Amino acid sequence: MNGVPLVQKIWIGPFTSFGYGYFDEIPAAYVLKYLDFQTCMNFVKVNLWTWKNGTQYIWEQLNDHLKNPARLNSTIEKVERRDGKVYVTVNGEVEEYDKIIVTAPLYVPNKRADGQVGMVDYFDAREDEKELFSKIDYERYDVQAFLTDPDKHPEISYYVFDNMVPGKLGHLMVYYRRWKDKIDQVITTYALRKHKDSEEIPYEECRQMVQDDLKIMGNPAKEIINEWSVYYFPHVFTDDYAAGWYDKVEAMQGKYDTFYAGEVMSFGDMDETAEYSRELVERFF
Ligand SMILES: Cc1cc2nc3c(=O)[nH]c(=O)nc-3n(C[C@H](O)[C@H](O)[C@H](O)COP(=O)(O)OP(=O)(O)OC[C@H]3O[C@@H](n4cnc5c(N)ncnc54)[C@H](O)[C@@H]3O)c2cc1C
């Protein structure tokens, strides 16, 4: 597995295999937002770690300390903005607000099995919102969690660099073994199945490709216990980025008593998303 030069491995390892797409389709600005010097060096030095209780736990703890905690299990079905007010239909009831900050997906280009839609589908979206947000695409990033015989998994997680190129779309890129000192554990795999310039590989086909890769590598799955095709890393492509997509959306902040945040406004990870939200609130509120 030595086909990819070292200098490229430093970049594609933490980028493509983490589901952020291929270097010939993704604007370089996204790569640089995410892979700042410190993040890059952490990967080079394998200075990687995970949260003991998972990341969900961080947000649950944060929520417990908020003056106005998030209301859970509340689906926003409709939003109308008129006469300087925002009318939000949530769980069947209409509520009135002065402003709204959208952190849910702005646009979902095709029907998804999980029913996730974009804000343009349930807001009284204006023409400029529809026009700009329709440029957003996302990564089809598939995760499988499986069990294998303890003697069948390698000692550490591994990257398959040769599979991080568009020609190997749909193949396993990462095999993740979370705890290095524990043999009996769930293993997760990650694969991308869409590139801007080629046909999307159907979910089932990609799933099977990953299973076959596992067999070839001598780590076959005994039982798949969870699987997920994620709405992942919403982004725009190079032409739209270069044509000022971000400048135009930033100029629309507050225009319809609406502010746009969430990962698409910065980058598809927690660090950048939280940082952007904080900056947005400091700027406008
Ligand atoms: C498998 C996977 C692994 C990842 N690994 C990492 C990692 O290791 N490190 C890292 O930093 N980032 C990681 N990420 C990325 C990170 O999770 C996202 O970048 C981040 O969660 C984006 O935050 P957000 O608030 O924009 O969107 P989300 O966290 O997706 O929040 C949006 C929320 O809006 C809700 N919503 C949508 N529509 C409606 C509606 N109509 N009404 C009410 N609610 C609605 C959704 O249910 C969701 O809770 C990973 C993501 C995935 C999927």
Side-chain angles (χ1 to χ4, degrees):
M1 297 282 172
N2 291 320
V4 178
L6 179 65
V7 68
Q8 277 186 35
K9 282 184 183 173
I10 291 171
W11 294 97
I12 66 172
F15 197 85
T16 304
S17 73
F18 278 42
Y20 296 122
Y22 298 94
F23 279 1
D24 63 346
E25 57 169 354
I26 297 297
Y30 286 123
V31 183
L32 296 173
K33 270 192 226 179
Y34 162 54
L35 289 178
D36 54 35
F37 181 73
Q38 191 188 344
T39 308
C40 218
M41 289 315 288
N42 284 343
F43 279 106
V44 171
K45 293 180 179 168
V46 202
N47 179 24
L48 304 171
W49 45 272
T50 51
W51 302 91
K52 190 175 170 200
N53 298 317
T55 49
Q56 175 75 14
Y57 182 74
I58 302 172
W59 306 112
E60 284 169 2
Q61 294 298 303
L62 176 75
N63 197 40
D64 284 349
H65 289 84
L66 292 178
K67 198 168 124 198
N68 297 302
R71 276 160 54 183
L72 306 177
N73 304 314
S74 302
T75 300
I76 295 174
E77 293 132 17
K78 190 173 161 190
V79 177
E80 288 181 290
R81 297 156 296 174
R82 56 186 143 82
D83 310 324
K85 293 286 175 193
V86 181
Y87 298 93
V88 177
T89 306
V90 52
N91 296 340
E93 301 286 325
V94 181
E95 300 178 7
E96 183 188 304
Y97 295 94
D98 296 324
K99 311 279 177 202
I100 188 164
I101 304 175
V102 190
T103 62
L106 300 178
Y107 184 73
V108 180
N110 53 356
K111 201 167 159 43
R112 282 179 51 84
D114 60 9
Q116 179 64 62
V117 292
M119 69 81 79
V120 294
D121 297 306
Y122 55 92
F123 272 59
D124 52 350
R126 311 297 203 266
E127 282 313 308
D128 47 1
E129 290 178 317
K130 285 188 208 163
E131 207 268 318
L132 281 165
F133 299 158
S134 66
K135 309 289 187 197
I136 297 170
D137 203 348
Y138 68 96
E139 295 299 340
R140 279 56 158 180
Y141 193 40
D142 293 359
V143 186
Q144 291 184 48
F146 68 91
L147 299 175
T148 185
D149 288 328
D151 63 329
K152 292 269 174 21
H153 56 80
E155 283 174 20
I156 54 167
S157 304
Y158 61 75
Y159 289 108
V160 186
F161 286 97
D162 286 356
N163 287 348
M164 298 178 201
V165 290
K168 299 301 286 280
L169 196 66
H171 283 279
L172 182 157
M173 297 186 296
V174 187
Y175 174 113
Y176 183 53
R177 173 180 159 163
R178 188 182 176 104
W179 314 110
K180 82 172 174 195
D181 51 359
K182 207 169 151 201
I183 199 76
D184 185 16
Q185 62 180 299
V186 173
I187 303 292
T188 45
T189 61
Y190 299 84
L192 282 169
R193 60 186 169 86
K194 179 153 192 315
H195 179 280
K196 176 168 85 63
D197 300 328
S198 58
E199 284 276 300
E200 181 174 326
I201 297 175
Y203 178 78
E204 289 298 333
E205 202 176 306
C206 177
R207 184 181 189 273
Q208 190 56 50
M209 286 165 82
V210 170
Q211 296 290 311
D212 293 345
D213 288 339
L214 284 171
K215 280 185 205 145
I216 292 166
M217 289 171 198
N219 317 118
K222 197 166 69 176
E223 183 191 351
I224 298 171
I225 56 168
N226 204 352
E227 53 189 293
W228 192 19
S229 183
V230 187
Y231 177 89
Y232 192 84
F233 181 40
H235 58 273
V236 294
F237 290 113
T238 309
D239 288 349
D240 295 311
Y241 204 121
W245 190 90
Y246 280 94
D247 296 335
K248 290 174 199 165
V249 177
E250 288 299 347
M252 266 166 47
Q253 294 284 22
K255 187 174 167 191
Y256 305 116
D257 294 314
T258 304
F259 297 86
Y260 314 97
E263 54 186 334
V264 71
M265 293 307 298
S266 181
F267 184 76
D269 67 10
M270 291 183 297
D271 188 1
E272 261 63 40
T273 304
E275 198 173 44
Y276 181 88
S277 294
R278 173 185 277 263
E279 189 280 327
L280 182 95
V281 169
E282 281 170 359
R283 199 172 3 142
F284 293 103
F285 293 90

